[in-house]
Amino acid sequence: MFSALPFNLPAKNVFTSSWTPASLSSTNLRFWTRPESLKWQNAARTTPANTAGQSVYVSDDESGNALHAVQSGGSAQPTYKTNGGLYYNSQYMITPALGAWTGDFAVAIVAKTITHVATAGVLSVDFATAFNIMLDATSGLIASGIGSASPPYGQITSSFSLGTIHSLIETRVGTALETSIDGLAPGTATVSSASLPNTSLFIGSNQYTNYIGDIHEIIVIASPSGGDITNLKAYLATRMSSGVYV
């Protein structure tokens, strides 16, 4: 005889409309910055950057881990945009080490490529053995996978356009790497399931080639559940349609 199941059991991958990255614990949410995050002109974080064209020394991390992105070199600092995003003209920022973890990951970025630079790095943790996201307007989006230290590095290629804001989500579940632009069907690759190394996040660079364009939001999640990935996709879709990124 079968027993009735309780009706309040949650479905595995159900979207929660109130979900934001802040819904995650700081153990899972390793780094998060967005247009609403505070930006600063000095290391002490006492002089706000809130006017278009101001150089940004620190961009706050809202994950709860205080892994703020920093660039101390004046000429290497990105500049503030009126909407709170940052313009990178071959500049970059670096966070403290994100912390190593075993298991899956999800990375999201909202960016607008303005000038083509071959294999331009927009987000990277350890070029060869962790995630390395490049936006190349000639060959499309190239997303390098985890622990794939030899060609083709788990690369996924798909098209995108210059001068347009795009959302990108890259996930690794087991050895399956998926990368999707603007919520479209993802490209896939098989990569290693190696742990992520405890190294810094490079923003606007893959540590070899720097990016030219606007970066609006970055989210790095360690060991996400299926529901977390579903919610992340819905969150970005809502944000993209709201006009918060301009």
Side-chain angles (χ1 to χ4, degrees):
M1 183 173 181
F2 294 97
S3 298
L5 290 173
F7 290 104
N8 60 351
L9 286 177
K12 184 176 181 181
N13 296 334
V14 169
F15 167 56
T16 304
S17 61
S18 60
W19 189 95
T20 75
S23 303
L24 298 166
S25 73
S26 59
T27 300
N28 295 108
L29 182 62
R30 301 307 305 160
F31 180 80
W32 178 30
T33 192
R34 55 181 176 154
E36 297 91 331
S37 303
L38 296 175
K39 281 84 176 176
W40 308 93
Q41 296 184 67
N42 60 337
R45 299 167 62 236
T46 55
T47 305
N50 52 21
T51 302
Q54 289 179 332
S55 295
V56 175
Y57 196 118
V58 181
S59 180
D60 275 7
D61 165 34
E62 292 192 62
S63 71
N65 295 303
L67 299 176
H68 308 309
V70 174
Q71 179 50 264
S72 59
S75 63
Q77 292 172 350
T79 53
Y80 185 87
K81 293 177 60 65
T82 53
N83 67 338
L86 297 182
Y87 171 59
Y88 291 76
N89 187 8
S90 295
Q91 295 133 343
Y92 62 96
M93 303 190 85
I94 307 172
T95 72
L98 295 184
W101 68 83
T102 301
D104 305 330
F105 75 94
V107 180
I109 184 166
V110 177
K112 177 173 72 174
T113 303
I114 294 175
T115 302
H116 166 66
V117 178
T119 63
V122 67
L123 200 65
S124 177
V125 171
D126 194 316
F127 184 84
T129 61
F131 60 78
N132 171 43
I133 297 174
M134 297 178 282
L135 293 174
D136 184 325
T138 296
S139 58
L141 175 142
I142 305 173
S144 179
I146 293 284
S148 302
S150 59
Y153 306 106
Q155 290 180 174
I156 297 170
T157 302
S158 59
S159 62
F160 72 100
S161 55
L162 284 174
T164 301
I165 297 173
H166 294 286
S167 67
L168 178 152
I169 296 177
E170 178 175 294
T171 63
R172 190 198 69 182
V173 178
T175 60
L177 183 75
E178 291 191 352
T179 300
S180 175
I181 295 180
D182 300 333
L184 300 176
T188 61
T190 300
V191 296
S192 166
S193 59
S195 302
L196 272 78
N198 185 17
T199 57
S200 297
L201 177 69
F202 280 71
I203 302 171
S205 176
N206 59 15
Q207 306 169 52
Y208 292 90
T209 308
N210 295 345
Y211 180 70
I212 299 178
D214 302 335
I215 298 178
H216 297 277
E217 186 155 3
I218 298 168
I219 306 162
V220 180
I221 304 174
S223 304
S225 68
D228 293 335
I229 294 173
T230 297
N231 283 324
L232 176 63
K233 292 176 179 178
Y235 165 82
L236 277 188
T238 299
R239 296 271 286 174
M240 288 287 288
S241 65
S242 73
V244 69
Y245 311 120
V246 294

